[in-house]
Amino acid sequence: MKSLHNARHTPVSAPVSALIPALIALLCSTSALADANGVKVGVITDMSGSYADLSGRGSVLAAQMAVDEFGGKALGKPVTVLSGDHQNKADIASSLARRWFDTDGVDMVIDFPNSSTALAVQEIARQKQKINIVSTGGAMALTNQNCSPTGFHWGWDTYSVSAPLVKRLIADGKNSWYYITVDYALGQSLEADFRKEVEASGGKNVGSTKHPLNASDFSSPIVAASASKAKVVVLANAGNDMINGVKAAGEFGLIKGGQTVITPSTFITDLKSLGPGVAQGLTYVDPFKLDLDARSKAFVERFYAKHKAYPTHGQIGVYSGVLHYLKAVEAARTVDGPAVAEKMRALAVNDDFVHAGKVRVDGRMVHDMYLAQAKTPAESKGPWDLVKYLGTIPGDSAFRPLSASECALVKK
C-alpha cells in the first residue's frame, strides 16, 4: 500500500509544485487586466485657456465617441473617459497624471494641447509604464530626444508642418525668413525645425522675436518683422496667440506690403475665429482632410451635431488615438503599458482620421499630411467651409526620417 500511495502522491505533488510560479504570475498579472471598474482613459486638456476651442471639451467628446464606436467595453469591462484641465501648466498636468495613475486607476492619458505639459506627463507615464498619446501638442522632442517606450505622438509635429512649407516657398523664391515665436516648448521646436530646413534649402534666417504665452499685444513683434524685410514671417505659435498675431499682421500691413505670413500650427477653429476675410490665403500643413472620404465626412457631421463646431485635427486625433489604444488593449488582452505599446506599434491605424497609418518604434504615428489654404470670402460657401486642400504629402515624406532620429529606441 505504501508503494501505491507513493505512486499516487508523486504525480500529483510534482505538477502542483511546478504550477506555483505560473499561478503566482497569473495572480500578479490580473492587476494588469481591466480591474472591476474597467478601463480608464484620461483626457488632459485645456478647458478654458488659449487652446480650449481647438481641444478642450471637443477632445473629451472625441474620446467618448471613440469609446462608443468601440462598443463601450474592453476586456469585457466598461471603458470610462475622465477629463482634467491642465491650465497650460506643466506642474498641474504632472500632478493630475500622477494622481490618476497612482490613485484613480487611469490606464492611458491623451491630448495635451501644450507641448510643455505633454513632455512633463510623458516622463511620468514612462516611469509608471503607462500609455500616453499626444494628439494636439507638436514638439518634436516627444518622439526624438525625449521618446518613450510607452509614449506616442499622433496627428502632427513641428517637422511635418515646417519642412514641406519651406521647400515649397523657397522654390518660389521666398528665401528670407523671420520668426515670431511663443516662448515655450512648442514655439522653440517650431522655430528650430523651420530654421534647420531653411538653411538646408539654401534660404536665410534673418531674425526672431519671442513672446509669452497668451500675449495681448503683438505690435512690437510685428513691427520688428516688418522692419526685417524678410520675405516670409512665421508665426511660431498657436491658438489665441496665432489668431492675435494674424490680426496684427493684417493691421500693420505685412501681407499688403508683400510679406508672406505662415501659420504652421493652424486649426479650423482658428480660421473660424479669424473669418475668411482675415484668414484668406494663409497656407499651412494639416493632418486631417475634412472631406477625405465618406467616413471622415460622417465623423465631421456626428461631431458637429454634438459640439456645434467642426472637429480640429487635434480633436479627431484624440478619437483616433483612443480607438487605436482600445484595439491594442484587446489584442494584448491586458492594460499593461508595455504590452499594449507593443500592439499599438504592430497594428495599422485605420479609422475616420487616417488610412493605413503606421506607428514607428519612436512612437510617431506616420500618415499622410495635406497642404492647405484658407479660402477667400468668395470661395467660402458656409460658416465652416473655410479650407481648401492644395495637395497630399505622403506620410513617409511628411515626417522626419528615423535615420535622423535622436530617439534611444531607434537602432542605428
Side-chain angles (χ1 to χ4, degrees), residues 229-288:
K229 304 299 182 183
K231 293 181 179 179
V232 181
V233 177
V234 179
L235 294 178
N237 51 24
N240 290 341
D241 286 328
M242 187 278 277
I243 291 169
N244 292 332
V246 170
K247 290 178 178 178
E251 291 168 1
F252 281 85
L254 260 66
I255 297 174
K256 288 182 179 179
Q259 291 176 292
T260 298
V261 176
I262 296 298
T263 54
S265 179
T266 298
F267 296 75
I268 194 167
T269 47
D270 301 328
L271 301 183
K272 182 67 165 59
S273 295
L274 288 166
V278 177
Q280 60 181 312
L282 290 178
T283 303
Y284 60 100
V285 176
D286 201 324
F288 177 48

Coordinates of all heavy atoms in Angstrom, one line a residue, residues 229-288:
K229 N 12.3 93.1 -43.4 CA 12.1 92.9 -44.8 C 12.2 91.4 -45.2 O 12.4 91.1 -46.4 CB 13.2 93.7 -45.6 CG 13.2 95.2 -45.3 CD 11.9 95.9 -45.6 CE 12.0 97.4 -45.3 NZ 10.7 98.1 -45.5
A230 N 12.0 90.5 -44.3 CA 12.0 89.1 -44.6 C 10.9 88.8 -45.6 O 9.8 89.4 -45.4 CB 11.9 88.3 -43.4
K231 N 11.1 87.9 -46.5 CA 10.0 87.6 -47.4 C 8.9 86.7 -46.8 O 7.8 86.7 -47.2 CB 10.6 86.9 -48.7 CG 11.5 87.8 -49.5 CD 12.1 87.1 -50.7 CE 12.9 88.0 -51.6 NZ 13.5 87.3 -52.7
V232 N 9.3 86.0 -45.7 CA 8.4 85.1 -45.0 C 8.4 85.4 -43.5 O 9.5 85.5 -43.0 CB 8.7 83.6 -45.3 CG1 7.7 82.8 -44.5 CG2 8.7 83.3 -46.7
V233 N 7.3 85.6 -42.9 CA 7.2 85.8 -41.5 C 6.4 84.5 -40.9 O 5.3 84.3 -41.3 CB 6.5 87.1 -41.1 CG1 6.3 87.2 -39.6 CG2 7.2 88.3 -41.7
V234 N 7.1 83.8 -40.0 CA 6.5 82.6 -39.4 C 5.9 82.9 -38.1 O 6.6 83.4 -37.2 CB 7.5 81.5 -39.3 CG1 6.8 80.2 -38.7 CG2 8.1 81.1 -40.7
L235 N 4.6 82.7 -37.9 CA 4.0 82.8 -36.5 C 4.2 81.4 -35.9 O 3.3 80.6 -36.1 CB 2.6 83.2 -36.6 CG 2.3 84.6 -37.2 CD1 0.8 84.9 -37.2 CD2 3.0 85.7 -36.3
A236 N 5.3 81.3 -35.1 CA 5.6 80.0 -34.5 C 4.8 80.0 -33.1 O 5.5 80.0 -32.1 CB 7.1 79.9 -34.3
N237 N 3.5 79.9 -33.2 CA 2.7 79.9 -32.0 C 1.4 79.2 -32.4 O 1.3 78.6 -33.4 CB 2.5 81.3 -31.5 CG 2.0 82.3 -32.5 OD1 1.4 81.9 -33.5 ND2 2.2 83.5 -32.3
A238 N 0.4 79.2 -31.5 CA -0.9 78.5 -31.8 C -2.0 79.2 -31.0 O -1.8 80.0 -30.2 CB -0.7 77.1 -31.4
G239 N -3.2 78.7 -31.3 CA -4.4 79.2 -30.6 C -4.6 80.7 -30.7 O -4.5 81.3 -31.7
N240 N -4.9 81.3 -29.5 CA -5.2 82.7 -29.5 C -4.0 83.5 -29.9 O -4.2 84.6 -30.4 CB -5.7 83.1 -28.1 CG -7.1 82.5 -27.8 OD1 -7.8 82.2 -28.7 ND2 -7.5 82.5 -26.5
D241 N -2.8 83.0 -29.6 CA -1.6 83.8 -30.0 C -1.5 83.9 -31.5 O -1.2 84.9 -32.0 CB -0.4 83.1 -29.4 CG -0.2 83.3 -27.9 OD1 -0.6 84.4 -27.4 OD2 0.3 82.4 -27.2
M242 N -1.8 82.8 -32.2 CA -1.7 82.8 -33.6 C -2.8 83.7 -34.2 O -2.6 84.5 -35.1 CB -1.9 81.4 -34.2 CG -1.7 81.3 -35.7 SD -3.1 81.7 -36.7 CE -4.1 80.2 -36.6
I243 N -4.0 83.6 -33.6 CA -5.1 84.4 -34.1 C -4.8 85.9 -33.9 O -5.0 86.7 -34.8 CB -6.4 84.1 -33.3 CG1 -6.9 82.7 -33.7 CG2 -7.5 85.1 -33.6 CD1 -8.0 82.1 -32.9
N244 N -4.3 86.3 -32.7 CA -3.9 87.7 -32.5 C -2.8 88.2 -33.4 O -2.7 89.3 -33.8 CB -3.6 87.9 -31.0 CG -4.9 87.7 -30.1 OD1 -6.0 88.0 -30.6 ND2 -4.7 87.3 -28.9
G245 N -1.8 87.2 -33.6 CA -0.7 87.6 -34.5 C -1.1 87.8 -35.9 O -0.7 88.8 -36.6
V246 N -2.1 87.0 -36.4 CA -2.6 87.2 -37.8 C -3.3 88.5 -37.9 O -3.2 89.3 -38.9 CB -3.5 86.0 -38.2 CG1 -4.2 86.4 -39.5 CG2 -2.7 84.8 -38.4
K247 N -4.1 88.8 -36.9 CA -4.9 90.1 -36.9 C -3.9 91.3 -36.9 O -4.1 92.3 -37.7 CB -5.8 90.2 -35.7 CG -7.0 89.2 -35.8 CD -7.8 89.3 -34.5 CE -9.1 88.4 -34.6 NZ -9.9 88.5 -33.3
A248 N -2.9 91.2 -36.1 CA -1.9 92.3 -36.0 C -1.1 92.4 -37.3 O -0.8 93.5 -37.8 CB -0.9 92.1 -34.9
A249 N -0.8 91.3 -37.9 CA -0.1 91.3 -39.2 C -1.0 92.0 -40.3 O -0.4 92.8 -41.1 CB 0.2 89.9 -39.7
G250 N -2.3 91.8 -40.2 CA -3.2 92.5 -41.2 C -3.3 94.0 -40.9 O -3.2 94.8 -41.8
E251 N -3.4 94.3 -39.6 CA -3.5 95.7 -39.2 C -2.2 96.5 -39.6 O -2.3 97.7 -40.0 CB -3.7 95.8 -37.7 CG -5.1 95.3 -37.3 CD -5.2 95.1 -35.8 OE1 -4.3 95.4 -35.1 OE2 -6.3 94.7 -35.3
F252 N -1.1 95.9 -39.5 CA 0.2 96.6 -39.8 C 0.6 96.4 -41.2 O 1.7 96.9 -41.6 CB 1.3 96.1 -38.8 CG 1.2 96.7 -37.5 CD1 0.4 96.2 -36.5 CD2 2.0 97.8 -37.1 CE1 0.3 96.7 -35.2 CE2 1.9 98.4 -35.9 CZ 1.1 97.9 -34.9
G253 N -0.2 95.8 -42.0 CA 0.0 95.7 -43.5 C 1.1 94.8 -43.9 O 1.7 95.1 -45.0
L254 N 1.5 93.7 -43.2 CA 2.6 92.9 -43.6 C 2.2 92.2 -45.0 O 3.1 92.2 -45.9 CB 2.8 91.8 -42.6 CG 4.0 92.0 -41.6 CD1 3.8 93.3 -40.8 CD2 4.3 90.8 -40.8
I255 N 1.1 91.7 -45.1 CA 0.7 90.9 -46.3 C 0.6 91.9 -47.5 O 1.1 91.7 -48.6 CB -0.6 90.1 -46.1 CG1 -0.4 89.1 -45.0 CG2 -1.0 89.5 -47.4 CD1 -1.6 88.3 -44.6
K256 N -0.1 93.1 -47.2 CA -0.2 94.1 -48.3 C 1.2 94.6 -48.7 O 1.4 95.0 -49.9 CB -1.1 95.2 -47.8 CG -2.5 94.9 -47.7 CD -3.3 96.1 -47.3 CE -4.8 95.7 -47.2 NZ -5.6 96.9 -46.7
G257 N 2.1 94.6 -47.8 CA 3.5 95.0 -48.1 C 4.3 94.0 -48.8 O 5.5 94.2 -49.1
G258 N 3.8 92.8 -49.1 CA 4.5 91.8 -49.9 C 5.1 90.7 -49.1 O 5.7 89.8 -49.7
Q259 N 4.9 90.7 -47.7 CA 5.5 89.6 -46.9 C 4.5 88.5 -46.8 O 3.3 88.7 -46.8 CB 5.9 90.1 -45.5 CG 7.1 91.1 -45.5 CD 7.4 91.6 -44.2 OE1 6.6 92.4 -43.6 NE2 8.5 91.3 -43.6
T260 N 5.0 87.3 -46.9 CA 4.1 86.1 -46.7 C 4.1 85.7 -45.2 O 5.1 85.5 -44.6 CB 4.7 84.9 -47.6 OG1 4.6 85.3 -48.9 CG2 3.8 83.7 -47.4
V261 N 2.9 85.6 -44.7 CA 2.7 85.2 -43.3 C 2.3 83.7 -43.2 O 1.3 83.3 -43.9 CB 1.7 86.0 -42.6 CG1 1.4 85.5 -41.2 CG2 2.1 87.5 -42.6
I262 N 3.1 82.9 -42.5 CA 2.9 81.5 -42.4 C 2.4 81.1 -41.0 O 3.0 81.6 -40.0 CB 4.2 80.7 -42.7 CG1 4.7 80.9 -44.1 CG2 4.1 79.2 -42.4 CD1 3.7 80.4 -45.1
T263 N 1.4 80.3 -40.9 CA 0.9 79.9 -39.6 C 0.9 78.4 -39.5 O -0.1 77.7 -39.8 CB -0.6 80.4 -39.4 OG1 -1.4 79.9 -40.6 CG2 -0.6 81.9 -39.4
P264 N 2.0 77.8 -39.2 CA 2.2 76.3 -39.2 C 1.3 75.6 -38.3 O 0.9 74.4 -38.6 CB 3.7 76.1 -38.9 CG 4.1 77.4 -38.1 CD 3.3 78.5 -38.7
S265 N 1.0 76.1 -37.2 CA 0.1 75.4 -36.2 C -1.3 76.0 -36.4 O -1.8 76.9 -35.6 CB 0.6 75.6 -34.8 OG -0.3 74.9 -33.9
T266 N -2.1 75.6 -37.4 CA -3.4 76.1 -37.7 C -4.4 75.1 -37.5 O -4.3 73.9 -38.0 CB -3.4 76.7 -39.1 OG1 -2.5 77.7 -39.3 CG2 -4.8 77.2 -39.5
F267 N -5.5 75.4 -36.8 CA -6.7 74.5 -36.6 C -7.9 75.2 -37.2 O -8.0 76.4 -37.3 CB -6.9 74.3 -35.1 CG -5.8 73.6 -34.4 CD1 -4.6 74.2 -34.1 CD2 -5.9 72.3 -34.1 CE1 -3.5 73.6 -33.5 CE2 -4.9 71.6 -33.4 CZ -3.7 72.3 -33.1
I268 N -8.9 74.4 -37.6 CA -10.0 75.0 -38.3 C -10.8 76.0 -37.4 O -11.4 76.9 -37.9 CB -11.0 73.9 -38.9 CG1 -11.9 74.5 -39.9 CG2 -11.6 73.2 -37.7 CD1 -12.7 73.5 -40.7
T269 N -10.7 75.8 -36.1 CA -11.3 76.7 -35.2 C -10.6 78.1 -35.3 O -11.3 79.1 -35.0 CB -11.3 76.2 -33.8 OG1 -10.0 75.7 -33.5 CG2 -12.3 75.1 -33.6
D270 N -9.3 78.1 -35.6 CA -8.6 79.4 -35.7 C -9.2 80.1 -36.9 O -9.4 81.3 -36.9 CB -7.1 79.1 -35.9 CG -6.5 78.4 -34.8 OD1 -6.9 78.6 -33.6 OD2 -5.5 77.7 -35.0
L271 N -9.4 79.4 -38.0 CA -9.9 80.0 -39.3 C -11.3 80.5 -39.0 O -11.7 81.6 -39.5 CB -9.9 79.0 -40.4 CG -8.6 78.4 -40.8 CD1 -8.7 77.5 -42.0 CD2 -7.5 79.5 -41.1
K272 N -12.1 79.8 -38.2 CA -13.5 80.3 -37.9 C -13.4 81.5 -37.1 O -14.2 82.5 -37.3 CB -14.2 79.2 -37.1 CG -15.6 79.5 -36.7 CD -16.5 79.6 -38.0 CE -18.0 79.6 -37.7 NZ -18.4 80.7 -36.8
S273 N -12.5 81.6 -36.1 CA -12.4 82.8 -35.3 C -11.9 84.0 -36.1 O -12.4 85.2 -35.9 CB -11.4 82.6 -34.2 OG -11.8 81.6 -33.3
L274 N -11.0 83.8 -37.1 CA -10.5 84.9 -37.9 C -11.5 85.3 -39.0 O -11.6 86.5 -39.3 CB -9.2 84.4 -38.6 CG -8.0 84.3 -37.7 CD1 -6.9 83.6 -38.4 CD2 -7.5 85.7 -37.3
G275 N -12.2 84.3 -39.5 CA -13.1 84.6 -40.6 C -12.4 84.7 -41.9 O -11.2 85.0 -42.0
P276 N -13.0 84.3 -43.1 CA -12.3 84.2 -44.3 C -11.7 85.6 -44.8 O -10.7 85.6 -45.5 CB -13.3 83.7 -45.3 CG -14.6 83.9 -44.6 CD -14.4 83.9 -43.2
G277 N -12.3 86.7 -44.4 CA -11.8 88.0 -44.8 C -10.4 88.3 -44.2 O -9.6 88.9 -44.9
V278 N -10.1 87.8 -43.0 CA -8.8 88.0 -42.4 C -7.9 86.8 -42.7 O -6.7 87.0 -43.0 CB -9.0 88.1 -40.9 CG1 -7.6 88.3 -40.2 CG2 -9.8 89.4 -40.6
A279 N -8.4 85.6 -42.7 CA -7.6 84.4 -42.8 C -7.2 84.1 -44.3 O -6.3 83.3 -44.5 CB -8.3 83.2 -42.2
Q280 N -7.9 84.6 -45.2 CA -7.8 84.2 -46.6 C -6.3 84.2 -47.1 O -5.6 85.1 -46.8 CB -8.5 85.1 -47.6 CG -8.2 86.6 -47.5 CD -9.0 87.4 -48.4 OE1 -9.2 87.1 -49.6 NE2 -9.6 88.5 -47.9
G281 N -5.9 83.0 -47.7 CA -4.6 82.9 -48.2 C -3.6 82.3 -47.2 O -2.5 81.9 -47.7
L282 N -3.9 82.2 -45.9 CA -3.0 81.6 -45.0 C -2.7 80.1 -45.5 O -3.7 79.4 -45.7 CB -3.6 81.6 -43.6 CG -3.7 82.9 -42.9 CD1 -4.3 82.7 -41.5 CD2 -2.3 83.6 -42.7
T283 N -1.5 79.8 -45.6 CA -1.1 78.5 -46.0 C -0.4 77.7 -44.9 O 0.4 78.2 -44.2 CB -0.1 78.6 -47.2 OG1 -0.7 79.4 -48.3 CG2 0.3 77.2 -47.8
Y284 N -0.8 76.4 -44.8 CA -0.3 75.6 -43.7 C -0.4 74.1 -44.1 O -0.9 73.8 -45.1 CB -1.0 75.9 -42.4 CG -2.5 75.6 -42.5 CD1 -3.1 74.4 -42.0 CD2 -3.4 76.5 -43.1 CE1 -4.4 74.2 -42.0 CE2 -4.7 76.3 -43.1 CZ -5.2 75.1 -42.6 OH -6.6 74.8 -42.7
V285 N 0.1 73.3 -43.2 CA 0.0 71.8 -43.5 C -0.9 71.2 -42.4 O -0.8 71.5 -41.2 CB 1.4 71.1 -43.3 CG1 1.3 69.6 -43.5 CG2 2.4 71.7 -44.4
D286 N -1.9 70.5 -42.9 CA -3.0 70.0 -42.0 C -2.9 68.5 -41.9 O -2.8 67.8 -42.9 CB -4.3 70.4 -42.6 CG -5.4 70.4 -41.5 OD1 -5.4 69.5 -40.7 OD2 -6.3 71.3 -41.6
P287 N -3.0 67.9 -40.7 CA -3.0 66.4 -40.6 C -4.3 65.8 -41.0 O -4.4 64.6 -41.2 CB -2.8 66.2 -39.1 CG -2.3 67.5 -38.5 CD -2.9 68.6 -39.4
F288 N -5.4 66.6 -41.0 CA -6.7 66.0 -41.3 C -7.4 66.7 -42.4 O -7.5 67.9 -42.5 CB -7.6 66.1 -40.0 CG -9.0 65.6 -40.2 CD1 -9.3 64.4 -40.8 CD2 -10.1 66.4 -39.8 CE1 -10.6 63.9 -40.9 CE2 -11.4 66.0 -39.9 CZ -11.6 64.7 -40.5

